[in-house]
Amino acid sequence: MAAQSKTAEPRTVAAPDQTPVRKGLRAVTGSVLAKRIGFYLVAGWAAITLNFLLPRLMPGDPASAVLLKMSELGPVSPQREAVIHRLFGGANSGPLWGQYVAYLGGLFRGDFGLSIAFYPTPVTEVVRSGFWWTVILVGTATVISFGIGTTLGVIAGWRPGRRFDSVASPLSIFIHSVPYFWIALIFVFVFAFKFGWLPLAGGAGRDVVPGFTAEFIGSAVQHAILPAATIVVTSISGWLIHMRNMMASVVNEDYVLLAQAKGLAPARVISGYAARNAILPSISGFAVSIGMVVGGSLLTEMVFNYPGLGSLLNQAILNLDYPLMQGLFLVISMTVLVINFIADSVYVLLDPRTREVS
Amino acid sequence: MRPDWLGALCRIVWPRNRKVAVGLVILLVLVAVAVVGPVLISMLLGQHAGELHAGGSLEPPSGRHWLGTTTAGEDVLAQLVTGTRTSLLVGLTGGAISTGLAVLLGVISGYSTGKTGAALTAFVNIFLVIPGLPLLIIIASYTQGRGGWIMVAVIIGLTSWPGGARVKRAQTLSLRNRDFVQAARYAGESKVRTVLFELVPHLAPLIASTFLFAVVSSIAAEAGLTFIGAGNPTTISWGTMIFWAQTQGALLSGAWWWFVPPGLCIALVGTAAGLINFGVDELSDPRLRGRRAGGRRKARQVPAAVVEAA
C-alpha cells in the first residue's frame, strides 16, 4: 500500500468550483466512459476465457473427476455428461476452438451444469442462494470501513508525527497484516464462545422463517454483526494508511497553505482542500483494495459458516465440486468488475483532469 | 571501550529510523528461528514437529510444552518453529516469482511504446481488476495439493504480480523521459542495455519494497489457501496449524494456544515489512515524517545497505 503511494506524484489541483455533476454528465456521453466500458468488457471476457482454459491446462482431468463424483451420486445421463465435457473439456471433446464456442453458448444460456455438493441442484440456483448474503454483508462492511478508515487517515495525516498519528499508524500496519480468518477466529472465540454475546455461526436463526419480517431481519442483523466487524476491523487499516500518506504529502501544498492564510476554519481547510485532493488515489486504488477485501471476506464467511458465496466456495472445495467452483469464480469476478467500473465512474466525476486529458 | 571500527560499522549498517530498526530486528529473529529453530527445539526441549502423542491431548502451555499440545498431542511450539521455516520458504519463493513477473511486465509495459506496450498495459490492467484470491483458490484446487509447498508457492507467485506491476509501470513511465535515459538512447545503446543499466537501478528501492510485500502477501495467501482446504494439509506451516486447529474444534475446546500463535506470527512478519517500508518512505520523503519530528532531527539519508537488506 505504502509502496504504491510513493510513486503517486503529489496532487496539485485546486478545489474545483464547477458543479461536478454537470461536467460528469458531459463525460457520460464523452469517450472516457466509453473507453472504460470497453475495458471492462474485455476484462470480463478475459475472466470467462480464463475460466474456460484453466481446467483444460491443468494436469489431471477435472472432467473425469467430476463424472466419477456424479456417478457415485446417481446415474449420469448422456446429456449431463455432455455438459461436464463442455465445461471442463476432457477426452474426445473435439478441437479447442469448437469447445470454446460451445462453452460461451452455454454461458449465455445461463447453464453452468449441476452442483455436486448440492446434487442435483443447478449451479446457478446454488450461487443465487448465496449471492445477496455476500453482497449485503461485504457491501455494508466495506462502506463502513472506507468511511471510518478514510476519516481516521485524514486526522492522522493532517498532523503527521503527532500523538494520534504515532499510535494509529503503527497499529494499523499491524492490523493490516493480520489474516482476516484469524481475526474471525478470535472474534468467534471471544464474543461468541467465551461471552456468548452473539451467535456462533449461520446467517439467521434456524427457527426463523426467511422473509421481510422484523423477526427475520433482526436475526439476520444479529448474525451479521461479527462477520461484518471482522471485515471492518481488518480492512479499515488499509484505507487509513493510504489516506494518511496522501494527506501527509498534501498538507504542505501551496493551496492548503493559502486556504489557511485566508483564515478559513480548519474543518473547511481539511475537508474542502486537503482531503478532497488526497482522497483521489484512494478511489483509483479501489481495484486492488476491493479484490483483497472480497478475498478476505470469502475466508471470513467460512469461519462463521455464513450462507454466502464464501461458504459455498468452501463446500465446493471440500466436495471437489468443480462446476460450482467455476460458477462462483465467474460470479465473484464479474461482481468485482462491476464494482470497479462504478468506482472508476465516480473517479471521473471527482477528478476533472480525467475528463480534460482525453 | 568499543573499538572505533565497530562504531563505524554500526553507523553504516544500523538504521537511524526507529521503525526500520524494529522491523529489521523482527525479520532477523524470524529468519533465525526458521534456520536453527527446529534443531534447537529438539535439542533443548526434546520436541519434534511431527511427533504424535508427545504429550496429552490439548494440554495447556506448561514447562514441558511451552505452547501446549494439539488434539493429537503434538507440541505446538515445535510445530510453530517448523511452520516458520515452511511459511518463510513459501513467502520467499512466491515473493520472488511475483516480484520477477511484476518487474518484467511493469518495466516492459511502461518502457515500450506502440502496440507491444499498449497490449502489455492492457494485460496488466485486466489482471489488476480480476480478484486474485478466488483465482488462486481455483487453480490450487485443480492441482489438489500435488507438489507440496513449492507448487503452492509457484501458484501464489503466478497470481499475485499485478499490483506490483502497476507500481513498476508508473515509475518506469516517469523515468523513461528523464535526461539520462534519453542520453543512453541517443548514444545508441540497445533497448535491453538501457533498461537494465539505466532504468532498473533507479527502480531498485521500489523493487525491494515490492519484494518485501510480495513475501508477506505470499505467506498470508498460503495461510488462507490452506485454511480453506485448498492447500496441502500434510505440510506443517502457519496456515495448516490454523486449519487443523479450526477443523479439530480448538475454538470450542478453548485451546487458544493452538491458533493464536501462528496468526500472531503472520501478523508479525507483515508488521515488520510495514514498519521497514514506512520508515524507508519517511527517510526518502521528509513530508511524511511530520513537522515536529522533521524539524528536530536533520533529514538523514537512508544507508544503501538498509535499502538492499529490505
Side-chain angles (χ1 to χ4, degrees), chain B residues 2-105:
Chain B
R2 208 165 47 171
D4 237 18
W5 60 268
L6 200 63
L9 190 73
C10 284
R11 235 168 289 137
I12 295 167
V13 177
W14 192 244
R16 305 286 164 75
N17 188 296
R18 208 170 53 197
K19 284 176 185 153
V20 179
V22 172
L24 278 180
V25 167
I26 298 176
L27 277 193
L28 287 177
V29 168
L30 282 170
V31 169
V33 166
V35 175
V36 297
V39 181
L40 221 58
I41 293 281
S42 71
M43 265 168 48
L44 297 180
L45 297 168
Q47 303 294 349
H48 307 279
E51 191 185 332
L52 299 176
H53 309 297
S57 180
L58 288 181
E59 274 181 29
S62 64
R64 209 172 120 65
H65 302 288
W66 290 9
L67 286 176
T69 60
T70 69
T71 40
E74 299 146 300
D75 185 66
V76 174
L77 180 64
Q79 291 217 323
L80 189 70
V81 165
T82 308
T84 307
R85 184 180 279 181
T86 322
S87 289
L88 287 189
L89 280 173
V90 171
L92 289 174
T93 315
I97 295 173
S98 159
T99 311
L101 283 172
V103 172
L104 197 71
L105 290 163

Side-chain angles (χ1 to χ4, degrees), chain B residues 289 293-301:
Chain B
R289 215 173 306 156
R296 201 170 53 225
R297 294 182 189 177
K298 289 250 169 68
R300 286 172 176 138
Q301 285 294 308

Side-chain angles (χ1 to χ4, degrees), chain B residues 86-271:
Chain B
T86 322
S87 289
L88 287 189
L89 280 173
V90 171
L92 289 174
T93 315
I97 295 173
S98 159
T99 311
L101 283 172
V103 172
L104 197 71
L105 290 163
V107 169
I108 297 177
S109 73
Y111 188 78
S112 48
T113 45
K115 278 182 184 156
T116 334
L120 269 177
T121 305
F123 183 74
V124 170
N125 284 340
I126 285 170
F127 272 89
L128 203 62
V129 291
I130 293 178
L133 191 74
L135 183 62
L136 174 65
I137 291 173
I138 295 273
I139 301 179
S141 63
Y142 281 131
T143 63
Q144 283 302 309
R146 275 182 296 236
W149 66 262
I150 295 183
M151 185 65 140
V152 171
V154 170
I155 302 172
I156 292 173
L158 289 178
T159 50
S160 61
W161 52 266
R166 184 181 76 151
V167 180
K168 301 297 174 306
R169 198 182 92 81
Q171 191 70 4
T172 307
L173 277 175
S174 83
L175 283 175
R176 57 164 300 173
N177 289 330
R178 299 270 180 89
D179 290 344
F180 62 93
V181 180
Q182 300 240 346
R185 217 177 295 153
Y186 293 142
E189 295 280 17
S190 73
K191 248 187 188 176
V192 177
R193 213 189 134 79
T194 315
V195 167
L196 282 184
F197 293 95
E198 302 294 340
L199 256 173
V200 171
H202 285 264
L203 290 172
L206 198 60
I207 295 173
S209 100
T210 308
F211 177 65
L212 199 61
F213 277 96
V215 169
V216 174
S217 62
S218 300
I219 291 175
E222 189 269 345
L225 207 57
T226 328
F227 178 71
I228 56 166
N232 185 339
T234 56
T235 55
I236 297 172
S237 71
W238 292 336
T240 50
M241 286 180 73
I242 304 177
F243 169 76
W244 286 117
Q246 153 91 350
T247 47
Q248 306 263 319
L251 221 51
L252 302 185
S253 331
W256 53 267
W257 56 85
W258 192 358
F259 60 85
V260 170
L264 274 184
C265 283
I266 297 172
L268 215 56
V269 180
T271 310

Side-chain angles (χ1 to χ4, degrees), chain A residues 54-346:
Chain A
L54 280 176
R56 289 168 173 80
L57 292 176
M58 286 292 146
D61 186 2
S64 32
V66 172
L67 287 171
L68 188 72
K69 279 259 173 189
M70 279 171 89
S71 60
E72 284 166 10
L73 296 162
V76 182
S77 66
Q79 288 120 304
R80 285 189 180 164
E81 201 180 323
V83 171
I84 295 304
H85 280 300
R86 195 187 70 221
L87 291 171
F88 300 101
N92 309 324
S93 15
L96 207 60
W97 183 246
Q99 288 183 44
Y100 187 50
V101 172
Y103 177 83
L104 288 182
L107 284 195
F108 281 110
R109 271 178 277 126
D111 183 2
F112 294 82
L114 300 182
S115 160
I116 290 168
F118 304 90
Y119 199 77
T121 320
V123 166
T124 38
E125 221 167 280
V126 177
V127 172
R128 198 178 299 147
S129 75
F131 184 73
W132 290 111
W133 287 101
T134 296
V135 168
I136 292 173
L137 174 73
V138 179
T140 318
T142 306
V143 169
I144 294 174
S145 85
F146 182 80
I148 300 178
T150 306
T151 313
L152 292 179
V154 167
I155 299 170
W158 178 243
R159 295 256 179 274
R162 292 289 175 86
R163 196 181 295 154
F164 179 73
D165 178 44
S166 56
V167 174
S169 300
L171 191 69
S172 44
I173 293 179
F174 175 76
I175 295 174
H176 192 59
S177 332
V178 178
Y180 278 74
F181 59 89
W182 188 71
I183 289 264
L185 285 174
I186 302 283
F187 275 12
V188 170
F189 184 68
V190 174
F191 296 111
F193 177 69
K194 278 270 175 199
F195 296 129
W197 289 344
L198 290 158
L200 272 172
R206 286 235 175 97
D207 42 349
V208 186
V209 188
F212 258 107
T213 58
E215 197 193 3
F216 175 73
I217 292 173
S219 173
V221 168
Q222 206 185 15
H223 280 77
I225 291 176
L226 275 186
T230 306
I231 301 170
V232 169
V233 165
T234 5
S235 59
I236 252 184
S237 47
W239 304 119
L240 193 156
I241 298 169
H242 210 190
M243 194 62 190
R244 183 257 175 204
N245 282 351
M246 279 321 296
M247 197 67 185
S249 52
V250 153
V251 284
N252 291 331
E253 293 290 346
D254 289 342
Y255 57 84
V256 176
L257 292 178
L258 177 70
Q260 283 174 306
K262 280 197 289 190
L264 293 178
R268 178 117 188 261
V269 179
I270 293 174
S271 64
Y273 290 77
R276 198 184 186 301
N277 286 295
I279 202 170
L280 292 174
S282 267
I283 293 172
S284 70
F286 206 76
V288 186
S289 312
I290 199 69
M292 280 175 65
V293 173
V294 168
S297 307
L298 297 176
L299 297 178
T300 306
E301 278 186 14
M302 294 177 195
V303 174
F304 291 99
N305 214 354
Y306 199 77
L309 301 179
S311 300
L312 291 178
L313 192 58
N314 198 19
Q315 288 296 313
I317 291 163
L318 296 178
N319 292 295
L320 275 188
D321 187 349
Y322 289 130
L324 181 54
M325 241 185 278
Q326 264 203 351
L328 284 170
F329 175 70
L330 263 189
V331 168
I332 293 167
S333 39
M334 291 305 153
T335 313
V336 169
L337 289 184
V338 170
I339 297 170
N340 271 319
F341 175 68
I342 296 171
D344 262 9
S345 314
V346 170

